[in-house]
Amino acid sequence: MNKRDDYLSWDEYFMGIAFLSGMRSKDPSTQVGACIIDEDKKIIGIGYNGFPMGSSDDNMPWNKEGDFLNTKYPYVVHAELNAILNSIKSLKNAIIYVTHFPCNECAKAIVQSGIKKVIYFSDKHKSLDATKASRKIFENAGVETVHLEIDKKEILIRFGD
């Protein structure tokens, strides 16, 4: 018998975990997930976008527009920062898989934490100044960025038979 040939590649596996992590987000408009691995391909951090620990999801705003303090933006912790803060060891030379290209604030945290490679799926905000700043931060710090294109349309997870 030969091994099966429809198994996930490492990139599909780790990006799949990033997407699965994003499914934990309660944000009604954007769910972002991140997965950090070390040089041995071991997961050392995961995260998704959400409010800080102890903040009730029911008492905080999810709005995208309006008065700044009545929107989600000053309160939500991004997936990349959550993955960094949730990491279980040093992130030096680590790789982060993220469902969306990081904003400038997350780019700074990624660089400061020692992550050397960013593999992202969506680049839908590439025209925003914050994303342009991210690219500049990564380029200046020597952090490699890779746009991951996956041929699969979906990965099906079945619980049982």
Side-chain angles (χ1 to χ4, degrees), residues 99-115:
T99 57
H100 294 68
F101 193 88
C103 73
N104 62 307
E105 292 299 319
C106 289
K108 290 185 274 187
I110 287 167
V111 169
Q112 286 298 98
S113 70
I115 293 171

Side-chain angles (χ1 to χ4, degrees), residues 17-71:
I17 290 171
F19 271 96
L20 192 61
S21 296
M23 292 175 73
R24 278 284 309 141
S25 174
K26 296 174 185 160
D27 190 322
S29 60
T30 307
Q31 298 81 47
V32 181
C35 176
I36 304 173
I37 64 166
D38 68 11
E39 295 170 301
D40 295 322
K41 293 185 173 23
K42 293 185 177 157
I43 297 171
I44 56 175
I46 56 174
Y48 56 88
N49 57 313
F51 293 125
M53 259 193 304
S55 294
S56 170
D57 301 295
D58 297 323
N59 297 332
M60 300 294 280
W62 288 108
N63 304 320
K64 290 176 66 174
E65 297 177 6
D67 178 57
F68 182 67
L69 293 177
N70 290 319
T71 68

Side-chain angles (χ1 to χ4, degrees), residues 4-149:
R4 64 187 187 96
D5 57 5
D6 61 344
Y7 59 90
L8 298 176
S9 71
W10 283 116
D11 283 338
E12 291 167 339
Y13 177 67
F14 294 124
M15 189 59 75
I17 290 171
F19 271 96
L20 192 61
S21 296
M23 292 175 73
R24 278 284 309 141
S25 174
K26 296 174 185 160
D27 190 322
S29 60
T30 307
Q31 298 81 47
V32 181
C35 176
I36 304 173
I37 64 166
D38 68 11
E39 295 170 301
D40 295 322
K41 293 185 173 23
K42 293 185 177 157
I43 297 171
I44 56 175
I46 56 174
Y48 56 88
N49 57 313
F51 293 125
M53 259 193 304
S55 294
S56 170
D57 301 295
D58 297 323
N59 297 332
M60 300 294 280
W62 288 108
N63 304 320
K64 290 176 66 174
E65 297 177 6
D67 178 57
F68 182 67
L69 293 177
N70 290 319
T71 68
K72 64 182 178 177
Y73 299 112
Y75 310 109
V76 167
V77 181
H78 288 186
E80 301 93 326
L81 185 56
N82 260 329
I84 289 167
L85 295 171
N86 292 333
S87 63
I88 59 172
K89 67 182 230 179
S90 168
L91 301 180
K92 185 175 180 176
N93 298 320
I95 297 171
I96 187 167
Y97 285 80
V98 64
T99 57
H100 294 68
F101 193 88
C103 73
N104 62 307
E105 292 299 319
C106 289
K108 290 185 274 187
I110 287 167
V111 169
Q112 286 298 98
S113 70
I115 293 171
K116 289 296 178 193
K117 188 173 188 178
V118 175
I119 300 176
Y120 63 95
F121 187 79
S122 172
D123 199 10
K124 71 179 187 176
H125 298 298
K126 64 183 169 191
S127 63
L128 297 178
D129 285 345
T131 306
K132 291 175 184 176
S134 298
R135 291 190 190 288
K136 191 171 190 173
I137 291 166
F138 290 142
E139 183 179 320
N140 190 47
V143 173
E144 181 183 359
T145 59
V146 176
H147 181 214
L148 182 62
E149 295 186 29

